[in-house]
Amino acid sequence: MNPLKYNPASSATPKQDTLFRHGRSISTEGSMVVAAPREGLQAPFRDGREARSTSNANPAFGPRGSSLAQGPPPGSFSSDLKTMTIPRTLTPRTEQGPFFADYRPQDHERNSEQRQIELRDQISKETKIKIGSENLLEALTSKNAKQAKDQRTRVEAELGSSNRKIIELTSQLEEEIGRSKRPRTPPRNRLSAIYHGSPMKSPQGNEGSLQDENSAVEESESPTFALSEILQALENEGMRPDYYVERANRLVDLFKKYPSLKYDLAWPIFGLRVQTMLLSESREVVAAGYRVTRHAITDSRSLQTIRRLNTDELVMLSLVKESKANIEREQALKFVRAFLDVKGGIHEISNIVLRTIVAIAEHHEDRLRNISTLTLLELLVRCPSKVVDAGGMASLTQALLDGSYPGSESLASAILFLFDKPNDRLHLKSCHELDAAFTIFTDPIVVHSSEEKLKASASVIIALLQSWAGLYSVSNDGFAALKGLLLSLAYPSLLARDLILDIVNAVLQIKAPSWSSAFLAGRRLTTYGRVANLNKETSPSSTALMPEDEEEQRISLNEHYLALLLVVLIQSGLAHVLSKLIQEEAAESALRRKATLLHGEMLNLANRLLPQRYSASLQVLSQLVAPDDSRLANTSLYQISMTYQIDSVSRTLYRSQAASKHPFDAAVQSKQKSTSLVFHPTKQQVDYDMDELKFRAAVVETQVLGHANFLKWDWNLIEELIEGPLKNPKRLNEAITGTKFLKRLLGFYRPFKYRFSGALNTKLNQRYVRAGVSLMKILLLSNEGIAFLWDSKFLRQLGECMSQIDRTSGFFADEPLFSNWRTSSTLTGGYFSLLGALSSDPRGLQMFERWHMINISYHIIDLRDRDDLVELLLGNMDFTLDSHLRVMLSKALTASHKYIRIFSTNLLRKYAIQPPRSETGSQFPSSVCEWAIRLLVTQLYDPEVEVSEVAVQILEESCQWRSHLEYVVRCRPQLDHLNNIGAPLLLRFLSTSLGYQYLDRLDYITQEMDDWFLGRNNSYVTLVEAILSRGFSASQNDSSPSNSHEPSLLQKHPALPPHFYRELTRTNEGCDLLRDSGHFDKFVATIRDTWTEHEDQEAMTKLKGCLWAVGNIGSMELGASFLDDSDVVHWIVEIAEQSEVATLRGTAFFVLGLISRSLHGMEIITEHGWLTATDDYGRSIGYCLPSSLGVFFSISNHPRPADNVGARSRVKGKPSQPIADRDPIHARILDSVANTGNTVLTKKAAGELNALKTHHPEAFSSVELYRKVRDMLGRYRFHLPVRRFVLDLFNRSVIREVVLDEEESENESVHTERPMGSRPRLPLS
């Protein structure tokens, strides 16, 4: 026996016993004991005289608002939906107090996630400092070098410090991420963790007898024995709260460590212990009881067993308590939320508990309001009738109107979920619930006073307009809500107007161009040199990557939806209100320019996406055409000015778009470019024939010959000379032999002079790298330049520096030039860019071999600790020539670790996706593309799936060219081991007869066809809907200005995933196979027979799958012939215009767009009255729109009146009867309780109940009366304070009697919901 053990006969805990012997006091009022880092609850030391009522007195423990442990057991949540680490006065606090064994307040014990967040914040801060320093350095270049010398030195020092800190912090972040992925060490034994860090105990005391006792339970005994011992310990009565809490924590730990243990619980014994804890007078013990019960849940049968313990009564009592009992309330709500994690558990949530949660969600000042609202949202999606019966729709609608719920978008999405199907729409009272988000902008008081409400409503409106259900909900009364929103631009409120313009930009997915901020600030468009050069810089990419076949164009469903949304906005008056705002002289200049920019974007989208019928009238700008009345001369001039401004914006947008947002438009623009744009010769072309005198003068102006300090050189002029006159061999020879210009310029790049190699790696200093790359290319153009470079010390010194990192060379240095720090913080890494320019020429490769750079590069590839150097080497080399560089790349692809293999595989994309030699814009011969394809096929067999996945993606992009596709097929890749990853590439093979024959020999086609027909069609539906959702959410989150020609456009408008039947109908062989299989006829039969389906979700998914299959078949010219043999297009149009399911209409809308991509399909759709959008050559771009929006958006909000009444009156069981009592006193009490639900009579009814409590206290000890009051609270709506007041009237003994003594009588009623009906008229006594 350990001598430190306390006397078990004493009621004091071991800690208290030690403190008493040392003469310490244990007053815990206002104090806080920090608990150890483990999950659990720990009770405070409290005076035994404290009593517990249904309302609960103020506890003598930790801070108010404390929550529970960090672990994620079933039903866990953060009460304010946020991660809080700093306690605040009026907001939810983190879990603190002596009863939390999980909380980690010490800095050295914070979890890994928190440390990663802090490191990322520090990296972000240092990055901002770095960017600011770079901008300041760029500004200092325009100043006098002498005056700015000291300032430049300080800025460069600060920049170097920031670079070093970023490197150090990045390294720490990588180490922390790696550390978080390692297996964690086992936790310390239980009791030592509970008392660890307590200010009332010395560190030595934490390692006493309690550890030995716990170790015996945890390690030496079996889990079953430990469970029985803990349950036996819970039988002891009269112990302090911390005794029960500590045992409950151990019991939870036992369930976590041995999950199967809870399946073998003896519920008669375990349930009695739980009931005893839940009836305790200590809030901490009750919270521990809820936590233990929550962790004991296994399935719906266990929930039924738990409910037989009358937990509904206890949960109701706990939830209505005041905020000072938050620990108990939180655990009670977690216990209820755990029901949601069990299959069928929703039906086990009683109406009385749900009514209480609704009351909490309606109470604005309650700390648990947000999580109660979230609980109602989850229930609304999974079981709408339960929430509607409990009156939860009113609270959710009010939360949406107030804007108080932080997740307003999810709130709107949950309500939209009900709007999709007609049966779910029955649960909506008017189907106008979501109009509340629009009415806020039409309220002059709110517009000028509540910024938060406006922003929350703006988020809701964006979410509405980016979903089919939301768009149909807005279409009520001819889009009256949307028209009211646009007309609200007339209110003279800057914030409201700005938000409305942001809403339109967001829903149309308009990404602000890079020059938008300067334009909004008032600068002229003609002053942007970068905008003028955008077309020159990006035009090659738009033509080089243009596929040879129109059928290969990416299909963007998001843009098809945007076309419809744009028509809705235009017909709702968008063009009119924008024109009015542009003409309004009293409006802010920035606001008018923003409206002008939006107007130009709208015209651009209309011209690109809409049929001519919708876009022709819009381009006229009728609102801005000046009238003929001479009295309005000033107005006419202003309107002409605004018209010119819009035209200027449109022209600038056209120039700044590298490749249009839709790839097919890029093809059209590239063909029109020669006729629509005037050719302007560049300055470099003009200066190519510069005479000798001008050239010498320009060389002198560069200051290269006059100053040794490179900071004084005119680098802009140097770059112009390199790109212009020096391309002339005569001028180049003169610069080499007649002046020291090139000698000094090349000397600047010599490593051992530490001028280029010592310059900081900043945005401004990258011009040195660009000039060096251009210089290497110029020198390789002539024999004089090659000889000059061959004899220079530049390459010799560079080879020596590279040998310093080659461990086999014999050269060593204390600080190599290519050290990790130098390559990241200085321009040393730019040497590889210069070497890359040399690697594109055979004579440059000879220079490599002369200075043994090839051998050194082989050894660099083998370095396992210098991934940065390997990336610099491989990423800058040119692999066009068949040389040792290709061998090095092959070695990196196969012999390096996974990260380098992925990086090297991505390098092959540039060579694999180039068009054939015969195509315009080709950069490489076909042999280079074939070499890259062969390496990519080899990467398909990489042991890491991530590498194979990258190779599949690149090969799929390469297969857009028929010649490349056929070469990939001839490589005969085997993709069986990749399963679904290789499926897109195999589908590409079906595009050609050669690929079809290859797959047919593998017996792939018939197996794949059966898989798609039997199930993959349904999976395709889920995939497409996920892509659509991701595309809209990405555009909503991305609101920062950027260049409109960035490659993220393909991610912004994700393409339609490949479909088997679409690829099959590309060839005649595939069409014959499809016709013989009869699958198309079965698809048509399914569409014809089930197009009116609106209840069975599985049937609707199958219908959508058939629609997508027919649409993909009809989008191909060969597949469009199948449409003639059936009337399937008629049925698809019927679905799009008459279906009762919003998402089903949307699917039919997209499918009609697919069919319109083929010429024959476009003709059929036109015959059915739909309009198709075409390009300037009359070819369909795959977007079609209904000729009448009124017909398309005519969806019934409610079914037939008879069905509506039947659904509205649907209740469980028999109709409810009025709640009455023969006893006159009980009848008066019931009548007063009923009146408390009336806001007008609440105060009077509360007074009557207090009087009855005083004169007839025995009535509130009646179990029968309590049950009737409880039934009343479960049927009707009562505010949370009213519920608390009514339940506090009853004695504590009534609750104990209901829970313990009347268990058997409650068993039958606990499973079935009590019937609910209209509010009864209770008789007055």
Side-chain angles (χ1 to χ4, degrees):
M1 178 70 69
N2 194 311
L4 295 179
K5 261 199 170 181
Y6 72 104
N7 184 7
S10 171
S11 61
T13 62
K15 169 62 73 177
Q16 293 170 319
D17 187 78
T18 303
L19 292 175
F20 280 127
R21 285 190 283 106
H22 287 79
R24 299 182 186 178
S25 63
I26 55 172
S27 175
T28 59
E29 282 291 330
S31 65
M32 179 181 71
V33 180
V34 179
R38 56 180 292 274
E39 184 184 8
L41 301 169
Q42 184 174 351
F45 306 119
R46 226 186 332 184
D47 193 357
R49 294 172 298 175
E50 181 179 349
R52 176 176 180 262
S53 65
T54 54
S55 62
N56 264 8
N58 188 19
F61 57 92
R64 179 185 177 196
S66 300
S67 62
L68 298 178
Q70 301 172 2
S76 60
F77 65 92
S78 171
S79 57
D80 60 346
L81 303 182
K82 298 179 181 178
T83 302
M84 302 291 295
T85 57
I86 302 176
R88 301 180 182 175
T89 304
L90 297 177
T91 56
R93 301 188 177 187
T94 52
E95 302 174 348
Q96 305 180 43
F99 46 87
F100 293 109
D102 256 350
Y103 186 56
R104 299 188 179 191
Q106 296 91 345
D107 290 340
H108 65 281
E109 290 183 338
R110 285 175 300 181
N111 54 37
S112 176
E113 182 180 356
Q114 181 66 23
R115 287 194 292 270
Q116 293 179 28
I117 293 174
E118 291 181 357
L119 288 173
R120 288 190 176 96
D121 291 341
Q122 295 179 24
I123 292 175
S124 176
K125 178 181 177 181
E126 294 298 333
T127 303
K128 292 178 181 178
I129 295 175
K130 176 183 175 182
I131 295 173
S133 302
E134 291 176 348
N135 294 336
L136 183 56
L137 279 177
E138 188 173 357
L140 290 176
T141 56
S142 60
K143 295 186 178 181
N144 189 294
K146 289 185 177 180
Q147 297 176 356
K149 182 178 180 180
D150 296 338
Q151 190 174 4
R152 179 188 295 275
T153 303
R154 291 195 299 269
V155 174
E156 289 180 348
E158 183 65 28
L159 184 58
S161 175
S162 298
N163 286 328
R164 288 191 295 272
K165 288 182 179 179
I166 290 175
I167 295 172
E168 181 181 354
L169 292 172
T170 304
S171 176
Q172 294 178 10
L173 179 61
E174 292 176 354
E175 292 178 359
E176 186 60 42
I177 293 175
R179 189 182 303 115
S180 64
K181 295 180 179 179
R182 298 171 192 158
R184 298 182 179 180
T185 56
R188 292 175 297 176
N189 43 40
R190 305 303 196 252
L191 293 179
S192 63
I194 291 178
Y195 293 103
H196 176 73
S198 173
M200 299 189 298
K201 185 174 182 179
S202 61
Q204 292 81 3
N206 289 336
E207 299 175 1
S209 60
L210 296 178
Q211 287 186 350
D212 300 333
E213 178 185 354
N214 180 74
S215 178
V217 175
E218 291 292 329
E219 300 176 2
S220 302
E221 300 173 356
S222 66
T224 306
F225 183 83
L227 175 63
S228 61
E229 185 182 31
I230 295 174
L231 293 179
Q232 186 176 1
L234 290 175
E235 291 183 6
N236 298 332
E237 298 181 359
M239 306 300 290
R240 290 197 175 264
D242 64 310
Y243 173 86
Y244 300 105
V245 172
E246 189 271 335
R247 267 68 183 177
N249 288 340
R250 289 173 57 189
L251 188 56
V252 171
D253 292 338
L254 199 63
F255 286 151
K256 289 182 177 180
K257 189 175 182 181
Y258 304 101
S260 60
L261 193 62
K262 54 189 175 183
Y263 289 91
D264 301 325
L265 286 176
W267 277 99
I269 301 175
F270 181 78
L272 182 60
R273 304 295 178 269
V274 168
Q275 283 183 323
T276 304
M277 295 182 69
L278 295 179
L279 289 170
S280 173
E281 297 180 355
S282 169
R283 285 189 289 269
E284 296 76 39
V285 176
V286 177
Y290 283 125
R291 184 165 175 264
V292 168
T293 310
R294 171 162 54 91
H295 283 83
I297 295 175
T298 56
D299 51 17
S300 59
R301 185 170 300 179
S302 65
L303 292 179
Q304 297 172 2
T305 304
I306 291 173
R307 289 192 63 196
R308 294 192 189 100
L309 303 176
N310 297 306
T311 53
D312 293 345
E313 312 285 343
L314 298 167
V315 170
M316 175 190 64
L317 293 173
S318 297
L319 290 178
V320 300
K321 290 181 180 178
E322 296 180 351
S323 58
K324 55 188 176 183
N326 267 335
I327 179 176
E328 179 181 341
R329 300 177 71 229
E330 286 181 3
Q331 284 297 330
L333 192 51
K334 282 185 177 183
F335 170 69
V336 177
R337 286 181 56 82
F339 284 44
L340 304 178
D341 299 330
V342 179
K343 184 178 180 181
I346 293 179
H347 305 292
E348 298 298 331
I349 301 177
S350 64
N351 204 67
I352 180 65
V353 173
L354 194 53
R355 283 274 184 182
T356 308
I357 295 176
V358 171
I360 296 174
E362 294 175 346
H363 195 55
H364 291 271
E365 300 177 357
D366 199 289
R367 178 172 173 262
L368 301 181
R369 184 191 181 193
N370 288 338
I371 193 60
S372 298
T373 303
L374 178 62
T375 305
L376 293 177
L377 288 180
E378 295 179 13
L379 285 169
L380 183 66
V381 174
R382 300 172 64 177
C383 188
S385 60
K386 206 168 188 64
V387 178
V388 173
D389 293 341
M393 286 301 301
S395 64
L396 295 177
T397 306
Q398 186 62 34
L400 183 65
L401 180 62
D402 295 342
S404 56
Y405 182 66
S408 54
E409 297 91 346
S410 61
L411 181 58
S413 300
I415 299 178
L416 284 178
F417 177 79
L418 300 183
F419 196 89
D420 186 28
K421 302 176 186 176
N423 288 342
D424 291 337
R425 286 197 289 271
L426 294 174
H427 302 295
L428 298 175
K429 185 176 181 180
S430 63
C431 290
H432 289 271
E433 285 80 0
L434 295 173
D435 290 352
F438 294 88
T439 57
I440 292 180
F441 285 92
T442 60
D443 188 348
I445 299 177
V446 178
V447 163
H448 291 86
S449 60
S450 180
E451 179 179 352
E452 294 300 326
K453 283 187 177 181
L454 289 175
K455 290 183 177 180
S457 298
S459 301
V460 173
I461 293 173
I462 293 173
L464 289 180
L465 295 178
Q466 290 185 340
S467 67
W468 283 110
L471 191 58
Y472 276 101
S473 67
V474 175
S475 66
N476 292 331
D477 302 326
F479 294 95
L482 187 58
K483 292 178 180 177
L485 174 70
L486 296 177
L487 291 176
S488 299
L489 283 171
Y491 283 124
S493 172
L494 179 61
L495 175 63
R497 286 177 162 185
D498 191 62
L499 281 176
I500 293 174
L501 294 180
D502 288 340
I503 290 173
V504 178
N505 277 302
V507 298
L508 294 180
Q509 299 188 12
I510 296 174
K511 196 174 183 181
S514 58
W515 46 265
S516 61
S517 57
F519 172 72
L520 296 179
R523 293 177 58 188
R524 294 174 58 193
L525 289 173
T526 54
T527 61
Y528 313 146
R530 288 177 297 176
V531 174
N533 294 329
L534 281 177
N535 187 57
K536 175 180 70 68
E537 295 173 359
T538 58
S539 58
S541 62
S542 64
T543 57
L545 298 181
M546 185 180 64
E548 61 185 5
D549 203 346
E550 294 176 15
E551 296 175 354
E552 301 294 338
Q553 302 297 335
R554 300 170 68 91
I555 305 172
S556 174
L557 299 181
N558 282 24
E559 286 206 339
H560 193 188
Y561 182 84
L562 289 182
L564 176 65
L565 192 58
L566 181 60
V567 172
V568 170
L569 289 172
I570 292 173
Q571 295 198 357
S572 298
L574 177 61
H576 176 75
V577 296
L578 286 179
S579 301
K580 291 294 184 183
L581 183 58
I582 293 172
Q583 298 178 61
E584 185 179 334
E585 298 183 5
E588 293 285 338
S589 175
L591 188 67
R592 288 160 56 189
R593 281 180 165 261
K594 190 173 185 178
T596 302
L597 183 59
L598 177 58
H599 201 292
E601 291 277 11
M602 179 187 66
L603 295 177
N604 185 25
L605 284 175
N607 182 57
R608 187 164 57 87
L609 301 179
L610 300 186
Q612 189 174 4
R613 173 177 170 181
Y614 287 118
S615 62
S617 59
L618 190 65
Q619 306 291 339
V620 177
L621 300 179
S622 58
Q623 299 294 333
L624 294 177
V625 174
D628 296 332
D629 194 344
S630 59
R631 294 174 297 177
L632 301 177
N634 294 334
T635 305
S636 302
L637 293 175
Y638 183 75
Q639 290 175 334
I640 293 173
S641 175
M642 289 297 100
T643 304
Y644 170 77
Q645 192 79 275
I646 293 175
D647 179 65
S648 180
V649 169
S650 299
R651 285 186 283 108
T652 307
L653 286 172
Y654 178 82
R655 290 198 307 269
S656 63
Q657 287 178 345
S660 181
K661 293 181 181 179
H662 190 272
F664 189 67
D665 292 310
V668 176
Q669 291 180 8
S670 64
K671 295 177 181 178
Q672 295 175 341
K673 196 167 293 183
S674 59
T675 57
S676 60
L677 298 180
V678 180
F679 176 75
H680 299 282
T682 62
K683 186 174 183 179
Q684 290 80 354
Q685 291 170 324
V686 174
D687 294 338
Y688 177 84
D689 295 326
M690 182 182 293
D691 58 27
E692 182 178 355
L693 293 179
K694 290 184 179 180
F695 176 71
R696 287 182 176 272
V699 169
V700 173
E701 289 179 7
T702 61
Q703 304 295 322
V704 173
L705 301 179
H707 295 281
N709 186 0
F710 67 92
L711 296 176
K712 297 182 180 180
W713 297 354
D714 189 347
W715 284 96
N716 292 329
L717 183 56
I718 291 173
E719 290 187 58
E720 291 179 4
L721 288 176
I722 294 175
E723 294 293 337
L726 288 180
K727 288 184 177 180
N728 189 334
K730 186 175 181 180
R731 299 282 85 85
L732 178 63
N733 185 35
E734 182 181 349
I736 295 174
T737 59
T739 67
K740 294 184 178 181
F741 175 72
L742 283 183
K743 182 178 180 181
R744 288 196 175 184
L745 188 59
L746 190 60
F748 164 73
Y749 291 97
R750 283 165 57 181
F752 291 152
K753 284 193 174 183
Y754 294 102
R755 302 167 79 184
F756 174 80
S757 59
L760 295 177
N761 185 14
T762 63
K763 181 180 179 181
L764 176 65
N765 290 347
Q766 290 299 319
R767 57 182 178 175
Y768 305 147
V769 180
R770 293 193 298 269
V773 171
S774 300
L775 180 62
M776 295 297 110
K777 293 180 179 179
I778 292 300
L779 292 176
L780 290 174
L781 293 178
S782 65
N783 295 329
E784 293 82 1
I786 294 173
F788 174 74
L789 191 59
W790 185 276
D791 298 334
S792 68
K793 298 180 181 179
F794 166 68
L795 291 177
R796 179 168 61 97
Q797 292 184 5
L798 186 56
E800 184 177 345
C801 292
M802 291 178 64
S803 65
Q804 294 174 357
I805 55 176
D806 183 3
R807 295 166 185 171
T808 63
S809 65
F811 290 89
F812 300 96
D814 294 336
E815 186 178 356
L817 186 71
F818 292 101
S819 63
N820 197 349
W821 177 82
R822 281 186 173 275
T823 53
S824 59
S825 59
T826 67
L827 292 182
T828 305
Y831 281 117
F832 291 99
S833 299
L834 274 63
L835 293 177
L838 295 176
S839 65
S840 61
D841 191 275
R843 291 167 292 187
L845 294 176
Q846 292 178 5
M847 299 179 192
F848 279 23
E849 296 177 356
R850 180 188 182 190
W851 301 111
H852 307 289
M853 292 184 184
I854 296 294
N855 296 337
I856 297 173
S857 299
Y858 274 113
H859 297 154
I860 290 176
I861 298 295
D862 293 332
L863 296 177
R864 297 292 181 176
D865 56 344
R866 292 302 307 274
D867 290 348
D868 60 325
L869 212 57
V870 177
E871 289 183 12
L872 285 172
L873 175 62
L874 296 177
N876 289 283
M877 293 298 110
D878 191 331
F879 301 99
T880 307
L881 300 177
D882 189 3
S883 63
H884 281 280
L885 296 179
R886 289 190 178 183
V887 181
M888 278 191 291
L889 181 61
S890 301
K891 182 179 180 181
L893 287 169
T894 55
S896 300
H897 55 81
K898 182 178 74 172
Y899 178 77
I900 295 298
R901 297 205 305 274
I902 294 176
F903 176 80
S904 303
T905 306
N906 280 314
L907 291 178
L908 296 173
R909 174 180 274 107
K910 178 175 66 174
Y911 306 96
I913 65 175
Q914 288 297 323
R917 195 64 164 176
S918 58
E919 297 292 336
T920 304
S922 177
Q923 300 178 7
F924 308 120
S926 58
S927 59
V928 177
C929 300
E930 293 175 358
W931 162 78
I933 290 173
R934 288 196 302 270
L935 290 181
L936 288 171
V937 171
T938 304
Q939 293 303 96
L940 295 175
Y941 311 110
D942 193 278
E944 295 291 342
V945 179
E946 292 87 346
V947 180
S948 303
E949 187 174 4
V950 174
V952 168
Q953 293 174 358
I954 300 175
L955 285 174
E956 187 182 0
E957 295 177 22
S958 177
C959 288
Q960 63 183 336
W961 306 101
R962 186 174 299 275
S963 59
H964 294 175
L965 174 60
E966 293 179 351
Y967 186 78
V968 173
V969 174
R970 286 196 293 269
C971 291
R972 305 177 65 85
Q974 299 292 330
L975 302 176
D976 296 342
H977 62 289
L978 296 179
N979 297 327
N980 293 334
I981 296 177
L985 184 58
L986 290 176
L987 289 180
R988 282 282 187 178
F989 290 179
L990 292 174
S991 303
T992 63
S993 298
L994 182 63
Y996 181 90
Q997 295 170 7
Y998 170 68
L999 295 178
D1000 189 37
R1001 287 194 297 268
L1002 297 177
D1003 198 22
Y1004 166 82
I1005 298 178
T1006 55
Q1007 295 181 10
E1008 193 72 6
M1009 177 179 285
D1010 293 339
D1011 290 342
W1012 276 84
F1013 183 75
L1014 297 177
R1016 294 276 289 280
N1017 266 334
N1018 299 344
S1019 303
Y1020 187 83
V1021 173
T1022 306
L1023 177 61
V1024 171
E1025 293 179 352
I1027 288 177
L1028 283 170
S1029 177
R1030 183 177 58 188
F1032 283 125
S1033 61
S1035 64
Q1036 183 175 349
N1037 295 333
D1038 187 10
S1039 57
S1040 58
S1042 63
N1043 293 331
S1044 60
H1045 59 272
E1046 291 178 349
S1048 60
L1049 289 172
L1050 294 181
Q1051 300 174 2
K1052 179 179 177 182
H1053 299 293
L1056 185 69
H1059 196 284
F1060 173 78
Y1061 289 101
R1062 173 183 171 85
E1063 305 299 327
L1064 186 65
T1065 52
R1066 291 181 183 272
T1067 60
N1068 292 321
E1069 297 91 340
C1071 291
D1072 294 339
L1073 178 63
L1074 178 61
R1075 189 174 289 104
D1076 295 339
S1077 66
H1079 287 183
F1080 184 83
D1081 296 334
K1082 295 178 181 178
F1083 293 149
V1084 174
T1086 302
I1087 294 173
R1088 183 175 57 250
D1089 297 339
T1090 62
W1091 73 274
T1092 58
E1093 180 62 48
H1094 61 269
E1095 293 184 0
D1096 189 353
Q1097 182 62 42
E1098 184 177 351
M1100 286 191 294
T1101 302
K1102 183 178 180 181
L1103 175 59
K1104 291 179 181 178
C1106 294
L1107 286 172
W1108 284 116
V1110 171
N1112 279 279
I1113 293 172
S1115 65
M1116 308 305 300
E1117 292 297 340
L1118 294 177
S1121 60
F1122 287 88
L1123 303 176
D1124 287 333
D1125 301 334
S1126 63
D1127 55 349
V1128 64
V1129 176
H1130 165 73
W1131 294 110
I1132 297 176
V1133 172
E1134 289 291 317
I1135 295 175
E1137 296 180 350
Q1138 299 184 20
S1139 177
E1140 293 293 334
V1141 183
T1143 54
L1144 200 54
R1145 285 194 176 198
T1147 302
F1149 173 79
F1150 288 134
V1151 168
L1152 290 174
L1154 284 176
I1155 294 176
S1156 69
R1157 295 182 68 85
S1158 63
L1159 179 61
H1160 190 59
M1162 183 175 64
E1163 295 174 353
I1164 297 176
I1165 288 179
T1166 305
E1167 293 175 358
H1168 285 81
W1170 280 55
L1171 306 175
T1172 57
T1174 59
D1175 61 5
D1176 294 339
Y1177 297 97
R1179 296 173 300 190
S1180 173
I1181 60 176
Y1183 304 146
C1184 65
L1185 295 173
S1187 57
S1188 174
L1189 291 183
V1191 176
F1192 183 75
F1193 286 103
S1194 60
I1195 187 170
S1196 60
N1197 292 339
H1198 299 286
R1200 295 184 300 274
D1203 296 340
N1204 192 9
V1205 172
R1208 289 291 183 184
S1209 62
R1210 186 192 310 131
V1211 294
K1212 297 180 180 180
K1214 299 178 181 179
S1216 59
Q1217 299 295 330
I1219 301 176
D1221 198 296
R1222 295 180 181 179
D1223 190 327
I1225 302 300
H1226 290 183
R1228 289 180 57 190
I1229 293 174
L1230 292 174
D1231 183 62
S1232 298
V1233 170
N1235 290 335
T1236 56
N1238 189 327
T1239 306
V1240 179
L1241 303 176
T1242 299
K1243 188 174 182 181
K1244 178 181 178 182
E1248 293 177 355
L1249 288 173
N1250 283 327
L1252 291 171
K1253 172 74 172 179
T1254 303
H1255 296 91
H1256 305 282
E1258 70 283 352
F1260 294 92
S1261 299
S1262 171
V1263 175
E1264 182 181 358
L1265 178 62
Y1266 170 79
R1267 288 175 178 165
K1268 292 182 178 181
V1269 171
R1270 178 201 58 189
D1271 291 345
M1272 188 178 295
L1273 295 177
R1275 293 187 187 185
Y1276 310 117
R1277 179 176 178 268
F1278 291 89
H1279 292 297
L1280 185 63
V1282 173
R1283 290 175 177 270
R1284 183 185 308 125
F1285 169 75
V1286 171
L1287 292 174
D1288 282 347
L1289 294 173
F1290 289 90
N1291 297 333
R1292 181 67 185 173
S1293 59
V1294 177
I1295 308 300
R1296 181 175 294 273
E1297 185 176 356
V1298 170
V1299 174
L1300 296 177
D1301 297 341
E1302 301 296 330
E1303 180 179 349
E1304 294 181 359
S1305 62
E1306 288 291 315
N1307 282 343
E1308 297 179 0
S1309 62
V1310 77
H1311 293 291
T1312 57
E1313 290 292 336
R1314 293 186 176 272
M1316 285 160 283
S1318 59
R1319 189 179 186 82
R1321 298 179 58 87
L1322 298 178
L1324 294 175
S1325 58

